[in-house]
């Protein structure tokens, strides 16, 4: 089964975007957050991802 890029339900500070990206690539969410801080258009990119990424499915 292939992983899909979704927002994280467990690793989230604001909406789970960075946590979802970190889970997808298997890296630290802190590293993803630091990368977002260094991007020139970080707020714009984050807002686009918040609105386009799907929520992760609920688990039992």
């Amino acid at each position: 089964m292939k992983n899909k890029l979704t927002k994280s339900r467990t690793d989230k500070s604001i909406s789970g975007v960075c946590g979802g990206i970190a889970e997808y690539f298997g890296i630290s969410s802190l590293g993803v957050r630091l990368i977002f801080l260094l991007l020139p258009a970080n707020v714009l990119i984050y807002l686009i991802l918040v609105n386009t990424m799907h929520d992760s499915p609920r688990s039992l």
Side-chain angles (χ1 to χ4, degrees), residues 4-38:
K4 290 188 174 185
L5 182 59
T6 58
K7 295 179 194 173
S8 176
R9 286 201 181 272
T10 56
D11 186 11
K12 60 191 232 175
S13 292
I14 298 174
S15 68
V17 170
C18 292
I21 293 171
E23 289 173 1
Y24 182 79
F25 289 108
I27 58 176
S28 167
S29 60
L30 177 63
V32 175
R33 288 182 181 102
L34 290 175
I35 290 170
F36 264 98
L37 286 175
L38 297 175

